[in-house]
Amino acid sequence: MSRTETARLPVPKTHKLYIGGEFPRSESGRSYVLAKPGAKHAYAQLCLASRKDLRAAVDAAKAAQPGWAARSAYNRGQILYRMAEMIEGRGDSWRALLRDGLGLTATQATRAFEGTIDALVYFAGATDKYPQVIGAVNPVAGPHHNFTTPDALGVVGLIFPDEPDPAAIAARIAAVIAAGNSAIALLPGRAGGLVAELGEAFATADLPGGVINLLSGDAAELTPQFASHMEIQGLAYLRDEPARRAELERAAVDNLKRCVASHGPLLALERVLDFVEYKTVWHPIGV
């Protein structure tokens, strides 16, 4: 028997979703193929998340958010830094995914891998800085100490483009949770290939289950559910589709959901401020 006849094809892995700190398959049983552009064989099978999977992610995010927001800014920063450490430690599998699964060149893969780590480290350092920058002591007439502080918005949805950009995905997610929000990220199309590696790093980084939830699937199918869900308080639509974004914003009016587009630099404190609200306190003095 020749070597060609005995050669076997690799078995593509099935990459699951990441919800509530666990790795479930889609309840729908649906999946789609991730293949390197031009390749004849699949690199992995990705779960095609359903509306029910999104509802499960919202439940997990809603349950986790109060406890996450109650943690000290210093502790949230420690965990974000730990997430960067865990990705750094999985460099070989990350580079294999970026090259063999997503079709990046070696140079592009290295740049994307390092950018992902840098984004997490940047926002690890931002957790205890942004309240000092944006907070204020307000001059008021009367015997009161009046001050304003930023507060977490709640559950935030992020809908990414189909083409994978690991550094941008890490930056957007890190900015959301740095302020004490919980996140549900939809990584559609080929970007869904990143769910497994990101989920493995998050699950082993002391991050409480439910603070970050990752779905792979179809943006056209799930975007209306993100917009209309009453338990999602903020939404970042990061796809270059102005008409669809306008529809989404109209759908979000009913529940007063905050909608953010993809403008501005990624590594900036403004990305944290996209999903905070402001609390002003009047404290009586001298009485």
Side-chain angles (χ1 to χ4, degrees), residues 16 47 64 79 82 137 212 276 280 286:
K16 302 175 185 176
C47 289
I79 292 175
R82 181 64 175 164
V137 175
I212 297 176
V276 299
T280 297

Side-chain angles (χ1 to χ4, degrees), residues 4-200:
T4 302
E5 292 172 320
T6 58
R8 58 179 294 275
L9 294 174
V11 177
K13 294 180 179 178
T14 297
H15 291 185
K16 302 175 185 176
L17 309 175
Y18 180 61
I19 299 174
E22 300 179 350
F23 292 91
R25 298 176 189 272
S26 172
E27 62 80 29
S28 68
R30 301 177 302 171
S31 65
Y32 62 103
V33 171
L34 173 67
K36 179 180 179 180
K40 296 181 179 178
H41 307 296
Y43 179 82
Q45 296 285 338
L46 308 181
C47 289
L48 189 63
S50 67
R51 294 166 58 180
K52 189 173 181 180
D53 295 320
L54 174 58
R55 288 199 296 272
V58 172
D59 290 343
K62 183 181 177 184
Q65 193 273 328
W68 177 245
R71 294 197 178 211
S72 68
Y74 178 66
N75 184 237
R76 291 199 301 273
Q78 284 180 310
I79 292 175
L80 275 161
Y81 191 84
R82 181 64 175 164
M83 291 158 60
E85 289 179 332
M86 299 312 295
I87 290 177
E88 181 89 62
R90 297 177 59 86
D92 290 344
S93 59
W94 265 86
R95 290 187 179 90
L97 168 67
L98 296 172
R99 290 195 309 266
D100 303 333
L102 302 178
L104 274 61
T105 64
T107 301
Q108 291 171 332
T110 298
R111 187 181 303 121
F113 177 68
E114 293 176 351
T116 303
I117 296 169
D118 291 347
L120 293 171
V121 171
Y122 178 88
F123 286 104
T127 55
D128 58 355
K129 309 294 188 305
Y130 81 91
Q132 302 172 51
V133 174
I134 198 64
V137 175
N138 308 310
V140 296
H144 291 87
H145 179 55
N146 182 283
F147 56 96
T148 299
T149 59
D151 210 358
L153 189 64
V155 177
V156 175
L158 302 113
I159 302 176
F160 288 97
D162 287 9
E163 287 304 307
D165 185 344
I169 291 169
R172 292 286 183 177
I173 293 175
V176 166
I177 69 167
N181 299 297
S182 56
I184 304 166
L186 174 61
L187 278 58
R190 296 192 328 115
L194 294 165
V195 167
E197 282 296 341
L198 288 170
E200 291 285 353

